[in-house]
């Protein structure tokens, strides 16, 4: 046979083999999907928490950048010297193995390349000749589709180290508490020899034997000049005291949240700061020791960097392993009643709508809004006061009135724009009680809202993770409130002269320069304190995960001291003066009585912030001039005043709700004399407001003929008497605010109330008799 024919046949054979290989490669593709246990990293690349794979293996992904040249040299020299020159199969090694196994009947090793070992670990099978051929085919596939370094990476991620440890990264972490790039040459060599004998070379059990085998290979490295001589000498002299370690399990609630938030990712790089986290954990642990004696067992903390919105600290509970007190609950991610903590954002929204400025006067008096009658925390009423005082004192009634004026829907929309998903989900069932804690919210959501106030009213979602280069993933900012509103509200809740300053800090020593607001839920089940300065926002929740209320539990006395300690610990060099006035905020003088632009009769004015073009510009109306008879016993209107014999006199312009409050509390105030009884004019103005019953409501009567319903109303300052009608029949007359009772006799009742100026209001109620 000529060389030409031989060459032709060889060429045909090679082409046929290539075609067959391609067909087989397409028909039987190699699958390299490796499941890795997830690792949660801190911002300095410290491993915070490690998770098992679904098959209960510690298998962690070592990236190419973590495979050092030393690790690469050691593994290649020991396992496959010609790894970078063969196509996945070392033909000479295979022929040698066939010769010794088939002809000499001797078992030898060394035929399997690193690539063939990867193929076997990807598809474990019994050791047969056919499976060895299949292993070779898979090795060729791997070499075709992946680079040499990628194949080596797969090997280092799958190689067994005994028990349920697979891969060099898991071995480095669980035996040496290091990442692969931190291993010494001695440690690298020790790890390179264990996979060949994982059951007899167990770190922590057979350390002397491992050192013996390790040094043997180190001398081989020296003989072949794989590493510098001095490095090898140092490695030989290095002791081996390693043992099997527990996998990293710190920040468990945070880690589980990341695990669920980023499923399937082998690595999650977070912004959590290890130092900040440890300091916060120490503060919380120490603080909670005293609270446990009071029956308070749980707390949660989140720490946010205001510049980046990165989460720097996260404590889901003081003790994850406290099963008796539900320690595995994540308090940061649990939705609970926020108490009064939403008030600062409401006040900011109202400032942006022009409803209030810090010195705007609002009445803290009893109100009835369609049957809803809120009370203050102290069960007292405080009359007229500024909105800044109302916010500092966290009064409920002014907040409800402001929410009613701004609109519940408007406020819910603002909350949802600020990332509060829980309130948006409940929006159809929320009313005015929302502002007093009649909703649920998570600590991280609440802290993010406060971080928006710290960032000039701009909301950005929390940054939980970074990409592998350490860069924060960008998000689109949203203007939640104006910079001007954020500045004014921050100024109010920064003030130390307020009732929610903890008793231990009355002398102002140790109080951090922060803005903060507290909250206590109904039943004293939740204590909140959220604070911020230029750099950080910290949210604190304290209570019991099982919902047990405690008489001593409140935001000011329990949660705020912990907030202060955290700020004083993690932000020792905080700037004292950090709330800078923006150009959008102006100064103006306002009347002290109303907080409005002064009128001619305003004798006392004070300085106030305002938002030009937005804040209310109506002039003060706290005084009104009334025409009186010469003896000042009756008042006149333009319709009934005489031609002569009357005079003008100024009276306080007291609102109907404030009038009713003064009457009920027997507080003296200047009253307008009764109107001319001979006047037939029906006056314009505010009609009486029925406070005891609610329009279109149903009332249950369990004892007909014995159980009564109450009639009561508020009316304008110039009203002395109101007249009650039931189903269009006159019933009785009372003074404003005076109570009257009646027996309901029918299921549908119309109730009318007319004042002595001819103004009238009607409501309809239903009665069910049981």
């Amino acid at each position: 046979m000529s060389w030409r024919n031989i060459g032709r046949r060889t060429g045909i054979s090679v082409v046929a083999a290539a075609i067959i290989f391609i067909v087989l490669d397409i028909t039987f593709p190699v699958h390299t999907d490796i499941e890795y246990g997830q690792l949660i990293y801190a911002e300095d690349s410290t491993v915070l928490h490690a998770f098992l794979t679904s098959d209960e293996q510690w298998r962690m992904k070592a990236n190419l950048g973590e495979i050092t040249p030393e690790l690469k040299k050691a593994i290649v020299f020991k396992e496959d010297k010609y790894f970078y020159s063969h196509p996945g199969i070392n033909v000479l090694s295979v022929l040698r193995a066939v010769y010794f196994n088939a002809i000499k009947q001797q078992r030898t090793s060394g035929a399997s390349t690193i690539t063939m070992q990867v193929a076997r670990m990807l598809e474990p099978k019994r050791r047969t000749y056919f499976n060895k051929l299949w292993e070779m085919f898979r090795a060729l596939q791997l070499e075709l589709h992946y680079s040499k370094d990628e194949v080596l990476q797969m090997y280092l991620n799958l190689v067994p180290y005994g028990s349920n440890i697979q891969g060099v990264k898991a071995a480095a972490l669980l035996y040496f508490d290091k990442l692969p790039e931190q291993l010494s040459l001695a440690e690298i060599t020790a790890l390179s020899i264990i996979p060949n004998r994982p059951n007899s070379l167990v770190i922590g059990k057979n350390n002397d034997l491992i050192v013996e085998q390790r040094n043997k290979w180190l001398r081989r490295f020296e003989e072949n000049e794989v590493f510098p001589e001095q490095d090898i000498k140092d490695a030989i002299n290095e002791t081996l005291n390693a043992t099997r370690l527990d996998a990293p399990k710190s920040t468990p609630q945070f880690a589980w949240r990341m695990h669920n938030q980023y499923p399937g990712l082998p690595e999650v790089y977070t912004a959590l700061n290890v130092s900040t986290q440890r300091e916060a954990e120490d503060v919380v642990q120490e603080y909670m020791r005293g609270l446990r004696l009071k029956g308070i067992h749980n707390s949660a903390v989140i720490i946010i960097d205001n510049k980046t919105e990165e989460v720097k600290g996260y404590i889901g509970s003081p003790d994850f392993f406290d099963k008796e007190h539900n320690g595995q609950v994540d308090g940061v991610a649990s939705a609970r009643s926020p108490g009064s903590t939403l008030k600062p954002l409401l006040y900011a929204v109202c400032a942006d709508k022009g409803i209030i400025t810090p010195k705007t006067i609002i009445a803290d008096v009893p109100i009835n809004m369609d049957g809803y009658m809120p009370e203050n925390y102290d069960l007292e009423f405080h009359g007229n006061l500024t909105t800044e005082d109302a916010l500092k004192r966290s009064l409920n009634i002014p907040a409800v009135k402001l929410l009613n004026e701004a609109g519940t829907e408007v406020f819910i929309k603002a909350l949802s724009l600020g990332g509060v998903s829980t309130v948006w989900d409940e929006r159809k069932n929320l009313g005015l009680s929302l502002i007093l804690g009649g909703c649920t919210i998570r600590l991280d959501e609440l802290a993010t809202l406060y971080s928006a106030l710290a960032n000039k009213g701009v909301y950005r979602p929390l940054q939980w993770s970074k990409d592998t280069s350490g860069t924060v993933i960008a998000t689109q900012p949203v203007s939640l409130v104006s910079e001007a509103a954020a500045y004014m509200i921050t100024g109010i809740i920064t003030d130390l002269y307020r009732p929610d300053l903890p008793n231990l800090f009355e002398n102002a020593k140790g109080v951090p320069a922060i803005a903060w607001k507290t909250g206590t839920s109904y039943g004293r089940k939740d204590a909140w304190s959220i604070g911020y300065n230029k750099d950080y926002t910290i949210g604190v929740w304290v209570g019991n995960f099982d919902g047990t209320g405690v008489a001593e539990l409140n935001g000011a006395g329990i949660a705020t001291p912990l907030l202060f300690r955290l700020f004083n610990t993690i932000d020792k060099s905080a700037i004292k003066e950090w709330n800078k006035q923006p150009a959008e905020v102006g100064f103006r003088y306002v009347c002290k009585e109303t907080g409005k632009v002064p009128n001619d009769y305003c004798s006392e004015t004070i300085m106030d912030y305002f938002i030009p073009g937005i804040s209310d510009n109506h002039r003060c109306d706290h005084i009104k001039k009334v025409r009186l008879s010469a003896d000042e016993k009756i008042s006149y209107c333009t319709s009934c005043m005489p031609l002569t014999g009357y005079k003008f006199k100024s009276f306080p312009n007291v609102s109907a709700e404030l009038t009713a409050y003064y009457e009920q509390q027997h507080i003296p105030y200047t009253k307008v004399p009764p109107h001319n009884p001979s006047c037939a004019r029906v006056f314009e103005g505010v009609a009486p407001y029925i406070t005891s019953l609610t329009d279109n409501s149903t009332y249950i009567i369990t004892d007909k003929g014995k159980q009564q319903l109450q009639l009561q109303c508020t009316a304008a300052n110039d009203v002395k008497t109101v007249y009650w009608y039931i189903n269009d029949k006159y019933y009785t007359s009372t003074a404003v605010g005076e109570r009257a009772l009646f027996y309901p006799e029918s299921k549908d009742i119309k109730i009318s109330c007319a004042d002595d100026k001819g103004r009238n209001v009607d409501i309809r109620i239903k009665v069910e008799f049981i």
Side-chain angles (χ1 to χ4, degrees), residues 650-666:
S650 295
F651 287 87
N653 190 13
V654 185
S655 66
E657 61 180 9
L658 201 57
T659 299
Y661 171 69
Y662 288 157
E663 292 288 345
Q664 292 170 9
Q665 299 297 318
H666 305 291

Side-chain angles (χ1 to χ4, degrees), residues 37-41 45-51 58-61 66 161 165-183 187 191 203 242-249:
Q38 191 176 70
L39 294 179
I40 310 297
Y41 290 89
S45 296
T46 299
V47 178
L48 296 171
H49 203 99
F51 290 91
W58 290 114
R59 187 188 308 118
M60 305 167 189
K61 184 177 182 180
E66 295 177 286
Y161 282 95
I165 300 176
Q166 292 185 11
V168 69
K169 189 168 186 175
L173 200 60
L174 296 178
Y175 288 135
F176 299 109
D177 194 24
K178 295 180 179 180
L179 293 174
E181 66 269 28
Q182 300 168 334
L183 294 171
E187 292 164 343
L191 291 182
I203 288 183
T243 186
R244 172 71 180 264
L245 305 173
D246 291 330
K249 292 292 180 183

Side-chain angles (χ1 to χ4, degrees), residues 450-468:
Y450 278 71
S451 183
L453 292 176
N455 282 310
K456 303 178 181 180
V458 176
Y459 160 79
R460 288 173 296 165
L462 291 180
Q463 300 302 302
W464 299 100
S465 66
K466 301 180 179 183
D467 62 23
T468 53

